[in-house]
Every structure is written in structure tokens, then in C-alpha cells.
């Protein structure tokens, strides 16, 4: 049957109307897609298959396309280094002189730190393995700030892993596939990072807004921050390890505290992805819930005096919760007897190191400030 | 022999090729390059094309292509899926609706319309981001993106000049 014979062949629909109907349908579909998006979940399945597929394709494409720019940049740096070798040498000598003073301070502090750890029986964090990656694409608009790194699942990268440049924290991984990871920058409007002010230990949430300097929200304490204070990750919440350098606090033009990111000192081309797993992800939570809560430490000044039945429990308590301090007390007698000789013998062991900790903590910043 | 003017406009010429050009330009500007310590701006290359498509003629493929471009931007830039599709479709629909008003207008009026479309796109993005993240994006960064996008008007004009009269049915 030809089109002319078809009864619907004479039916003419105005193109403007059909185009309008298609527009409405497409708009509804787009809104539905937007509403079904769940970007905030730290899970590759939630991150979405189209995204992982795009990242997988874009990583080698971006890598290949950025190669000429990268090689040109390296060439320019080489030429610049050749012509400015003398001034660079002078600058490096001055920096080395400064660094030597810092090294002496660092050695002294490390020694003090190790002694305190021994005395307190502290368990230090294990070293964090990391994977090195190159940034291959970069989005820096006001509504999305993310980058694609050319290392993925095969290197053990997981969603949530922190990402650092040589200068400081850059962001965290929000999506992983084979050969590519999507890094959400600290400046992204959806980024929230628990941080602390190094000088005062005050906590805040670093909130990205698409601009170069993220805000310090929920800042606790009075005069908790002043211009020039160093900002570090606090480790609260467990996504980031404690103490990663984030940047320096500054007062913004809008009157809010903001952070000049340490990673902005240089181009973020190579990054380290810390394969960090928080203890809450590692431990067996069911076993922890079953574990009995240890009884209070005998003689601790912060606790109320022990109730009558408590002394009966003191023997097993000493065997379970108290051993580290007494052990430390016996193993390192010289430093402890030097400062509080009488008290160490009279009062239980934990009290002496706990009381000493704040006193010894204050000189540290002074010592660090000396080289400046 | 058929007359050239009576020939219908092939979709790949006015939809397909500009779409590929926009994708290529967006990928190029998404490379991590710095000049004198400053990164490249991030203009919305898809906007001049979406604006021009709405002006040239109504089409059933036009909105679909705008949505595809938006989804491409979402996946490349890491925005929520559908974010740029919605942001680009809104000005496309407005311009398509006011197409009869735009016919025969001066360059200045066309630039004003394009600026309004850019404001609508970025304004929609601002509102959607506020709803999604419960915080407002930095106005200065938003302004820079607006500025980087508005200077792309010559591309929209070139596309309009080339294809506005290409299909006799829509002259």
C-alpha cells in the first residue's frame, strides 16, 4: 500500500507543535534523570554505570590529549631552569639553611614524641599505602569541581580515599573504575571536609562553594581562628586521616573565614591517592558490640570514688585495662623520677603521664616557631 | 536537477556537526593545563549551539540533541546526571517559544536574547545546586562562567547566519 493510499497519509501535524511536544517530553525525562541521581553516596554502584563507563573512556583520551601540553610545560620549565640556574641555586641554598634548623627541631620533637608515646602506651597509626596518579581531565566551574585520575580499581583505590598533591589535600575519590578515579575537589560545592585549626584544635567543616577558597563552617569556640592559622584534617568521621595539611585560614571579603588551599601553590598534575581505611571499616563491629566495657581505672581523679563492690573487680581490671601505664612506668624510670618523684610513687601510675602531657605539649609550638 | 534552495536541511549538518564540535571544544578545555599559573576558563560551549538551534528552526531532533549535550557535560564535568540537560533545555524552550519575536531582529537584540538565555542557564544551575547541596555557589565563579560563555555569541551568530535560510520552509 503506497503512502497516498494510506488514510493516515494525508494527516499533517504542524512541526512547531510536534517539536514543542518533544521538547516537553525531553525536559520531563531530564528532570526525572536529575531527581534519580544520587551523587552523594560513596558507592560505585550508586556512582552509576554511565559515569564509570565515561570515566573509563575519558581517562586515556584525556591522557593522550594532555600529553603535548605536559611535554611543552616540561620543556619550558627546562629552559627556564637553565637560564635561571644561578638565582635558583641561591634560593635553594637559603632554603636548605632554613631546612637544617627545622631538621634539628624535628629530630628533637620526634625523640620527645616517641618517649611520650612509650610512656602513655599509645598505639600510633600504621603507615598508609598510596597510589600515584596523573590528573587527565579537570572541571573547574562553579557547579562542579572534579578531576579524573588515571589510576583506578586495579591499584586498590576505593571511593572515599583521600587525594593529596605534593603540597596538601586535594579532595577525595567519589567514583572508581578500571584505570580511572573521579576525584571530588575540596572546592566542589558538594564537598564537606572535617578540619581543625592547628593552633587551637578548634573543629570546623570545610565547605566548598565552587570558588578557589572554601569556607570554614560550623567553627566552634571563641576566637578559635586567626588569619594565617594552619588548617589540617581533623580525622572526625573517619573519611580522612588526622593531620593532613589543608591550607591557611584567611578572612574572606564576605567576612567569613576561608582557607587558601595548600594544594593551590602549584598545578595539581600528579597526585597521591591514600589507600586509607578508617578503623570503623576494618573492625568487626558485631564483636565490638559484644565486648564487655572495662571497669573504671582505680584511683583516676576524674571518676567518682569506687563503689563498695568495685574493689572486688579491681584485680581483673588491672589485668585488662591498666597494664600499659604501669609497664611504661617500670620500663622508663629515669624521666619520670626526674620530674614528680614523690607523686609517682604515691599515686597510681596513669595520673603522672596524663598530668604531664599538657605541660609538655605547650613548649612544642615555641620550639617550632624559633627558626622563623 | 533539483533546486538547491528547495532541498531540506540534513540534520547532521546543522545538528550533528555542531554537536561534535562542542564536545571536542569542551574536552579540550577540560584538560588540566595552566598558563602563567592560571587554569583555562570553563565556558558552556553547548549554550551558543542550543541557542542557535532554537532560532534556526523548530525540530523534533533539536531537544534530543540538547539533552544529549547536557548529559555529556554532566558525565565529563562530574555534575549530577541531568543537571546540564535541564539547564540547557530551559533556555532552548524559551527561545523556541519566542522564535517569531526574534525573526529579523538586529544584532544587538540577538545579543541581549543570548545574554538572557545565558543568565537563565546559569541561574537554573545556581538554583538546582542550592537545592541539591543546601549551599550557594560562589557568585564570583558564577560570574566568570557567565562572562566566558557570553563571549561565545559569535559562534551562535555564525551558526544562525549559515542555516537560518537553508530550509525554505522556515524562511
Amino acid at each position: 500500500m503506497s503512502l497516498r493510499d494510506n488514510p493516515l497519509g494525508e494527516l499533517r501535524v504542524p512541526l512547531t507543535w510536534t517539536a514543542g511536544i518533544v521538547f516537553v517530553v525531553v525536559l520531563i525525562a531530564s528532570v526525572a534523570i536529575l531527581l534519580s541521581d544520587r551523587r552523594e553516596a560513596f558507592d560505585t554502584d550508586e556512582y552509576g554505570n554511565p559515569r564509570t563507563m565515561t570515566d573509563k573512556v575519558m581517562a586515556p583520551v584525556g591522557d593522550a590529549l594532555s600529553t603535548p601540553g605536559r611535554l611543552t610545560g616540561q620543556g619550558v620549565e627546562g629552559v627556564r631552569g637553565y637560564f635561571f640556574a644561578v638565582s635558583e641555586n641561591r634560593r635553594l641554598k637559603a632554603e636548605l639553611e632554613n631546612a637544617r634548623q627545622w631538621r634539628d627541631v624535628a629530630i628533637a620533637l620526634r625523640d620527645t614524641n616517641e618517649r611520650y608515646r612509650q610512656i602513655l602506651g599509645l598505639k600510633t597509626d600504621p603507615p598508609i599505602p598510596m597510589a600515584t596518579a596523573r590528573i587527565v581531565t579537570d572541571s573547574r566551574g562553579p557547579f562542579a569541581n572534579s578531576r579524573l585520575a588515571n589510576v583506578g580499581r586495579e591499584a586498590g583505590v576505593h571511593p572515599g580515599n583521600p587525594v593529596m598533591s605534593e603540597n596538601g589535600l586535594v579532595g577525595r575519590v567519589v567514583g572508581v573504575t578500571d584505570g580511572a578515579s573521579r576525584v571530588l575537589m575540596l572546592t566542589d560545592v558538594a564537598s564537606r571536609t572535617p578540619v581543625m585549626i592547628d593552633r587551637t584544635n578548634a573543629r570546623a567543616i570545610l565547605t566548598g562553594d565552587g570558588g578557589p577558597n572554601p569556607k570554614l563552617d560550623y567553627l566552634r569556640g571563641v576566637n578559635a581562628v586567626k588569619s594565617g592559622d594552619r588548617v589540617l584534617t581533623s580525622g572526625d568521621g573517619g573519611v580522612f586521616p588526622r593531620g593532613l595539611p589543608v591550607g591557611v585560614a584567611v578572612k574572606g571579603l564576605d567576612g567569613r573565614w576561608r582557607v587558601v588551599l595548600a594544594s593551590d601553590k602549584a598545578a595539581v598534575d600528579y597526585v597521591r591517592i591514600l589507600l586509607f581505611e578508617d578503623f570503623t571499616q576494618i573492625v568487626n563491629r558485631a564483636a565490638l558490640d559484644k565486648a564487655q566495657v572495662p571497669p573504671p581505672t582505680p584511683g583516676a581523679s576524674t571518676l567518682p570514688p569506687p563503689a563498695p563492690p568495685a574493689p572486688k573487680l579491681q584485680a581483673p581490671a588491672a589485668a585488662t585495662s591498666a597494664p600499659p601505664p604501669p609497664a611504661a612506668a617500670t620500663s622508663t624510670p629515669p624521666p619520670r623520677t626526674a620530674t614528680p618523684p614523690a607523686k609517682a610513687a604515691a599515686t597510681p601510675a596513669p595520673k603522672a603521664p596524663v598530668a604531664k602531657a599538657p605541660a609538655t605539649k605547650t613548649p612544642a609550638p615555641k620550639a617550632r616557631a624559633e627558626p622563623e | 536537477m533539483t533546486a538547491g534552495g528547495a532541498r531540506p536541511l540534513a540534520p547532521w549538518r546543522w545538528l550533528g556537526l555542531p554537536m561534535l564540535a562542542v564536545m571536542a571544544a569542551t574536552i579540550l578545555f577540560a584538560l588540566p593545563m595552566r598558563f602563567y599559573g592560571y587554569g583555562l576558563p570553563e565556558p558552556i560551549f553547548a549554550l551558543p549551539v542550543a541557542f542557535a538551534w532554537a532560532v534556526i528552526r523548530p525540530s523534533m531532533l533539536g531537544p534530543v540533541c540538547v539533552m544529549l549535550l547536557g548529559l555529556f557535560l554532566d558525565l565529563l564535568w562530574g555534575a549530577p546526571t541531568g543537571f546540564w540537560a535541564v539547564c540547557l533545555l530551559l533556555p532552548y524552550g524559551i527561545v523556541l517559544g519566542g522564535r517569531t519575536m526574534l525573526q529579523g531582529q538586529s544584532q544587538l537584540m540577538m545579543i541581549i536574547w543570548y545574554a538572557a538565555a545565558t543568565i537563565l542557564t546559569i541561574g537554573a544551575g545556581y538554583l538546582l545546586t542550592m537545592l541539591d547541596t543546601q549551599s550557594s555557589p560562589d557568585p564570583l565563579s558564577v560570574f566568570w562562567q557567565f562572562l566566558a560563555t557570553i563571549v561565545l555569541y559569535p559562534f551562535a551568530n555564525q551558526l544562525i547566519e549559515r542555516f537560518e535560510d537553508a530550509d525554505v520552509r522556515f524562511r
Side-chain angles (χ1 to χ4, degrees):
Chain A
M1 189 171 67
S2 69
L3 188 64
R4 206 174 281 275
D5 299 331
N6 187 348
L8 295 175
E10 293 299 317
L11 186 68
R12 285 177 183 274
V13 182
L15 185 59
T16 313
W17 281 101
T18 47
I21 290 166
V22 171
F23 165 75
V24 171
V25 170
V26 167
L27 184 63
I28 290 169
S30 300
V31 171
I33 292 170
L34 180 61
L35 290 176
S36 64
D37 182 84
R38 283 183 290 174
R39 193 169 66 142
E40 65 280 359
F42 274 162
D43 189 348
T44 305
D45 294 336
E46 299 292 346
Y47 184 63
N49 281 333
R51 282 182 192 280
T52 52
M53 276 174 60
T54 313
D55 290 354
K56 202 185 283 187
V57 172
M58 276 311 300
V61 171
D63 202 5
L65 288 175
S66 59
T67 302
R70 197 170 56 244
L71 292 178
T72 310
Q74 284 171 358
V76 169
E77 278 301 310
V79 172
R80 191 178 290 165
Y82 181 79
F83 281 109
F84 295 96
V86 175
S87 59
E88 182 74 0
N89 192 27
R90 228 174 268 143
R91 191 184 64 80
L92 286 173
K93 274 183 179 171
E95 202 173 308
L96 186 64
E97 198 70 29
N98 195 22
R100 280 195 184 123
Q101 294 177 24
W102 277 103
R103 185 196 55 191
D104 296 342
V105 173
I107 289 170
L109 282 174
R110 189 179 60 187
D111 182 53
T112 318
N113 230 335
E114 277 172 6
R115 277 167 59 189
Y116 287 151
R117 279 176 185 166
Q118 271 191 345
I119 291 167
L120 293 169
L122 279 179
K123 277 188 180 176
T124 52
D125 296 332
I128 302 167
M130 44 182 108
T132 307
R134 199 168 51 233
I135 295 296
V136 288
T137 70
D138 172 11
S139 78
R140 42 193 173 266
F143 309 123
N145 268 275
S146 66
R147 296 186 185 195
L148 205 59
N150 68 347
V151 156
R153 200 179 288 139
E154 74 286 348
V157 179
H158 290 293
N161 284 159
V163 181
M164 292 189 73
S165 71
E166 71 269 28
N167 293 311
L169 188 69
V170 168
R172 65 170 184 268
V173 174
V174 288
V176 185
T177 182
D178 295 324
S181 311
R182 173 74 61 179
V183 180
L184 186 81
M185 308 295 286
L186 292 176
T187 50
D188 188 282
V189 76
S191 168
R192 304 283 184 276
T193 311
V195 293
M196 64 179 184
I197 311 301
D198 188 25
R199 185 177 56 87
T200 58
N201 251 358
R203 298 300 206 269
I205 298 290
L206 188 73
T207 308
D209 63 355
N213 306 121
K215 299 174 282 187
L216 281 174
D217 277 346
Y218 307 108
L219 191 62
R220 277 183 271 165
V222 183
N223 298 326
V225 61
K226 66 178 184 185
S227 205
D229 276 351
R230 278 204 312 169
V231 180
L232 310 172
T233 53
S234 67
D236 297 337
V239 176
F240 294 99
R242 183 189 162 102
L244 300 181
V246 175
V248 174
V250 290
K251 194 89 165 172
L253 291 172
D254 55 355
R256 305 182 71 157
W257 284 106
R258 289 177 176 271
V259 175
V260 176
L261 295 176
S263 58
D264 274 353
K265 281 180 194 162
V268 180
D269 43 7
Y270 286 92
V271 291
R272 288 174 295 167
I273 301 176
L274 308 186
L275 309 179
F276 170 74
E277 278 190 283
D278 176 38
F279 74 96
T280 54
Q281 299 158 27
I282 301 167
V283 294
N284 183 355
R285 301 199 70 154
L288 268 183
D289 291 342
K290 283 179 191 166
Q292 284 184 344
V293 180
T297 310
S301 61
T302 52
L303 294 171
K312 288 179 188 172
L313 292 170
Q314 273 182 2
T320 53
S321 66
T330 49
S331 63
T332 55
R336 289 178 65 252
T337 46
T339 38
K343 257 193 168 182
T347 55
K351 205 172 179 182
V354 169
K356 267 174 70 182
T360 49
K361 210 176 175 185
T362 37
K366 282 181 193 167
R368 277 189 294 171
E370 271 169 23
E372 289 177 74
Chain B
M1 197 174 83
T2 55
R7 214 170 31 185
L9 186 55
W12 66 267
R13 281 178 63 211
W14 73 289
L15 291 170
L17 287 181
M19 197 159 89
L20 289 177
V22 164
M23 287 178 172
T26 310
I27 289 175
L28 212 61
F29 272 67
L31 295 179
M33 287 193 287
R34 275 193 172 203
F35 294 98
Y36 300 104
Y38 294 99
L40 292 172
E42 196 178 71
I44 310 164
F45 282 104
L47 189 66
V49 172
F51 179 79
W53 284 342
V55 173
I56 290 168
R57 53 165 285 192
S59 159
M60 284 193 284
L61 282 175
V64 178
C65 290
V66 172
M67 185 178 83
L68 289 178
L69 269 182
L71 292 177
F72 168 77
L73 291 186
D74 295 333
L75 295 175
L76 181 70
W77 286 347
T81 317
F83 176 87
W84 282 110
V86 172
C87 291
L88 290 171
L89 276 167
L90 287 176
Y92 176 86
I94 300 283
V95 175
L96 191 68
R99 192 174 162 271
T100 46
M101 281 190 280
L102 270 115
Q103 299 295 317
Q105 292 284 357
S106 66
Q107 265 317 307
L108 182 67
M109 276 309 291
M110 291 297 279
I111 291 172
I112 290 170
W113 269 87
Y114 177 73
T118 311
I119 290 170
L120 185 63
T121 305
I122 291 179
Y126 196 91
L127 282 175
L128 289 175
T129 306
M130 276 179 73
L131 286 172
D132 184 33
T133 63
Q134 311 293 320
S135 68
S136 51
D138 180 34
L140 197 64
S141 302
V142 172
F143 177 72
W144 283 124
Q145 190 166 45
F146 168 75
L147 218 60
T149 307
I150 203 120
V151 297
L152 297 178
Y153 172 73
F155 293 105
N157 187 46
Q158 199 179 0
L159 206 61
I160 292 167
E161 291 289 320
R162 187 162 177 200
F163 292 111
E164 198 177 19
D165 293 333
D167 196 331
V168 287
R169 293 172 298 171
F170 295 98
R171 271 182 185 169

